Amino acid sequence: MYQKIDEIVRRAGELVRSAHNIEDSVQEKTSHCDLVTKYDSMVQEQLSKELLEAFPEAGFYGEEGDICNIEGKSAYFIVDPIDGTTNFIRHARHSCISVGFMKNGAMEYGAVYQPYTDELFTAQRGKGAFLNGKPIHMRRVPLSESIAMFGSAIYYRETIPATTRIMAQLLPIVLDFRRSGSAALDICYVAAGRADVFFEACLRPWDYAAATLIAQEAGGVISALDGTPLRYYDRCSVAVGCPENHAELIQIALKIAGEPNMKGRIR
Ligand code: 2AM
Ligand code: CA
């Protein structure tokens, strides 16, 4: 059944790879740092058509137009047609298509496809995580041996103090930082052992729904930055790591959340 999702996601990747004159259709969404192109909508349209043809009972929750057709549905897709849109606009070739499948309130399947490297990260709940069909596992390391990936949630200005405080605490401890511009790929990189821990102070469900299942199935721990379960219907902070470095990260984030000027900013 889920092979069908993989096929559809790979096909959407062809559309991303074949994009041209991307610069001509760039528009601002919520601000000058939150951009979108005509390809984001085209890819989402193709995905919703093909996914709903294959799974007619399912609902659809997608980034473009904030389409939320999940009322009364026990199963639905959570879709980011292009995660890493700014990279896409700049021809950085580091973006992905992210499709999560939620069933009876739990993430059941996730597929994240990097069309430029032809890498498909997948996971089904309870069945492990894979990269192009080969099992992947997270490394078990403390923060002191971790490469930390993060997103800066720059479009939510109120999260800047929390992000910079966490970075300031982590920088003297970790091996190094990476910042790629695609939360879904960052989380998959952690799942595959290319990095070790990820955080971002505010994301939307399509940015992390598929990838966090992949990380969990690769042996990781996933939560909001205050350690509470991820919310798949709302904005949410995201923390992903192995049991060891995830616990350390949450401890740091909770300490920062308790600082006087930080009230309510880490959720
Ligand atoms: P995008 O490329 O699909 O927009 C980088 O910090 C991460 O944040 C990317 O995954 C990016 O996804 C995401 N992002 C960008 N704008 C966002 C917004 N307004 N809300 C939530 N996530 C956003
Ligand atoms: Ca997107």
Side-chain angles (χ1 to χ4, degrees):
M1 169 190 183
Y2 297 121
Q3 214 178 323
K4 191 80 197 160
I5 297 178
D6 296 354
E7 286 166 24
I8 291 169
V9 169
R10 280 183 177 277
R11 233 183 340 265
E14 286 169 27
L15 184 52
V16 171
R17 264 195 309 261
S18 68
H20 50 89
N21 297 345
I22 299 167
E23 305 77 6
D24 297 349
S25 68
V26 178
Q27 286 182 343
E28 287 181 14
K29 275 211 284 197
T30 57
S31 73
H32 73 284
C33 53
D34 190 6
L35 304 173
V36 69
T37 73
K38 70 174 180 194
Y39 288 101
D40 296 75
S41 323
M42 278 166 64
V43 175
Q44 179 164 306
E45 260 169 50
Q46 179 175 313
L47 283 167
S48 74
K49 182 172 169 287
E50 295 191 7
L51 287 168
L52 296 178
E53 260 167 29
F55 303 89
E57 307 293 306
F60 191 90
Y61 183 27
E63 175 172 17
E64 299 319 321
D66 225 329
I67 290 178
C68 188
N69 170 23
I70 60 174
E71 194 68 21
K73 302 278 187 186
S74 61
Y76 57 90
F77 293 100
I78 306 180
V79 172
D80 191 344
I82 303 181
D83 186 59
T85 296
T86 305
N87 285 345
F88 175 66
I89 292 166
R90 300 290 190 97
H91 303 276
R93 300 170 70 83
H94 189 82
S95 307
C96 65
I97 292 120
S98 174
V99 172
F101 186 59
M102 171 76 85
K103 199 171 159 192
N104 301 324
M107 287 308 302
E108 178 64 24
Y109 192 77
V112 173
Y113 183 53
Q114 212 299 21
Y116 303 104
T117 55
D118 189 30
E119 291 180 309
L120 179 65
F121 299 88
T122 55
Q124 184 181 349
R125 187 155 55 96
K127 301 267 168 72
F130 300 85
L131 167 53
N132 289 344
K134 294 205 181 92
I136 51 173
H137 304 284
M138 210 172 272
R139 282 157 34 97
R140 300 280 302 254
V141 282
L143 273 185
S144 60
E145 291 168 38
S146 295
I147 293 177
M149 301 199 84
F150 70 101
S152 30
I154 201 80
Y155 30 81
Y156 301 116
R157 298 276 156 183
E158 69 280 10
T159 65
I160 291 175
T163 304
T164 50
R165 284 289 293 130
I166 295 171
M167 287 172 70
Q169 294 289 302
L170 287 182
L171 196 49
I173 304 174
V174 296
L175 287 186
D176 205 352
F177 275 152
R178 302 281 184 272
R179 167 88 175 88
S180 90
S182 162
L185 281 178
D186 287 353
I187 297 165
C188 289
Y189 271 39
V190 171
R194 296 174 180 180
D196 304 296
V197 67
F198 168 85
F199 77 92
E200 183 149 356
C202 188
L203 285 169
R204 303 287 303 271
W206 43 76
D207 299 317
Y208 58 82
T212 46
L213 178 67
I214 293 165
Q216 193 169 39
E217 288 297 323
V221 183
I222 59 173
S223 71
L225 267 169
D226 61 2
T228 59
L230 288 171
R231 301 179 295 273
Y232 293 97
Y233 52 87
D234 195 3
R235 293 172 187 181
C236 193
S237 60
V238 177
V240 177
C242 64
E244 292 80 5
N245 64 21
H246 179 272
E248 288 179 86
L249 172 63
I250 299 303
Q251 224 172 27
I252 289 170
L254 284 175
K255 195 157 160 264
I256 291 168
E259 293 173 0
N261 59 344
M262 218 47 83
K263 288 264 174 290
R265 288 196 171 134
I266 296 180
R267 289 189 298 138

